[in-house]
Amino acid sequence: MEGDAKDNTKSFSGIPEAIFVDNVDEFMSMPENSEGVEKVLRKLDEQHGKYKFMEYTLNTKRRRLREQIPDLARTLEMIEKLKAQKETMETQFLLSDQVFVKAEVPPTNNVCLWLGANVMLEYTLEDAENLLTTNMATATKNLANVEHDLDFLRDQWTTTEVNMARVYNWDVKRRQAAKASS
């Protein structure tokens, strides 16, 4: 159970975790930070920028999944209608933006699915339903993972911003103390 609780705080897509700087004196005395406050702040700012870029990428993925899931649901709903259909039905379908065409659809056992990348394949209604159900489950799981990663990412860039503020304030206090002792 302990491993499960820890896994819930980690990222699914390998986002590096920002370590909170609790003791700035200790942090600044580390060998990798010996080059000075400006370099440390630049590294933290670079890390912050990377987190912001990852956020943009994840938001794009989330937007795509949020569009895909309703499309899959509508397609599954249409397959159910086609499975239940016993006689020819009249319908309208979207030909292009805001242009609809009337059509008569006879009962069928097959359907063509647009798979993307200019690929369309014919499936039986059962196979199409299985494929779409699997795709729906995968898309829903991926959306949950992206949402989790976005939450994790927000925590990381907030931690990085706090670290930047703490290092900056530490430097201001250090300079003020040096000025006062001169």
Side-chain angles (χ1 to χ4, degrees), residues 45-59:
D45 189 49
E46 183 179 310
Q47 182 181 15
H48 185 264
K50 288 177 183 177
Y51 286 141
K52 286 295 192 177
F53 178 74
M54 288 178 211
E55 179 189 34
Y56 173 78
T57 303
L58 286 171
N59 276 328

Side-chain angles (χ1 to χ4, degrees), residues 10-177:
K10 297 294 180 195
S11 162
F12 288 105
S13 56
I15 298 168
E17 187 173 5
I19 306 302
F20 178 71
V21 176
D22 189 34
N23 185 332
V24 182
D25 288 321
E26 240 178 63
F27 177 73
M28 291 305 293
S29 67
M30 296 170 79
E32 62 266 20
N33 298 330
S34 63
E35 296 178 9
V37 173
E38 292 79 22
K39 290 256 187 192
V40 171
L41 287 172
R42 207 171 307 128
K43 279 194 317 192
L44 288 170
D45 189 49
E46 183 179 310
Q47 182 181 15
H48 185 264
K50 288 177 183 177
Y51 286 141
K52 286 295 192 177
F53 178 74
M54 288 178 211
E55 179 189 34
Y56 173 78
T57 303
L58 286 171
N59 276 328
T60 302
K61 190 174 184 180
R62 178 176 62 180
R63 192 171 23 262
R64 184 181 49 78
L65 287 167
R66 283 183 173 172
E67 290 171 3
Q68 182 183 22
I69 290 171
D71 285 346
L72 288 168
R74 282 190 300 272
T75 306
L76 276 166
E77 185 180 319
M78 181 51 69
I79 295 222
E80 286 301 317
K81 286 181 182 180
L82 289 172
K83 285 172 77 174
Q85 179 186 354
K86 300 298 181 210
E87 53 191 55
T88 300
M89 73 173 162
E90 190 173 295
T91 187
Q92 293 182 5
F93 67 93
L94 186 64
L95 184 61
S96 65
D97 288 342
Q98 309 227 352
V99 177
F100 288 85
V101 176
K102 286 186 179 180
E104 288 187 1
V105 180
T108 183
N109 292 323
N110 295 324
V111 66
C112 292
L113 294 180
W114 185 260
L115 301 179
N118 293 326
V119 175
M120 182 180 279
L121 291 177
E122 184 175 354
Y123 290 91
T124 65
L125 292 175
E126 290 76 24
D127 288 344
E129 184 176 35
N130 291 339
L131 175 68
L132 292 168
T133 302
T134 301
N135 288 355
M136 176 71 104
T138 301
T140 303
K141 179 182 174 214
N142 288 344
L143 180 60
N145 289 350
V146 167
E147 295 284 355
H148 172 82
D149 280 355
L150 279 167
D151 288 341
F152 178 80
L153 192 57
R154 278 186 212 102
D155 290 345
Q156 302 322 298
W157 59 259
T158 300
T159 300
T160 303
E161 287 173 347
V162 169
N163 288 344
M164 290 168 69
R166 290 175 59 87
V167 169
Y168 180 81
N169 291 339
W170 174 85
D171 186 46
V172 168
K173 284 181 185 176
R174 185 181 58 93
R175 287 183 190 189
Q176 287 174 343

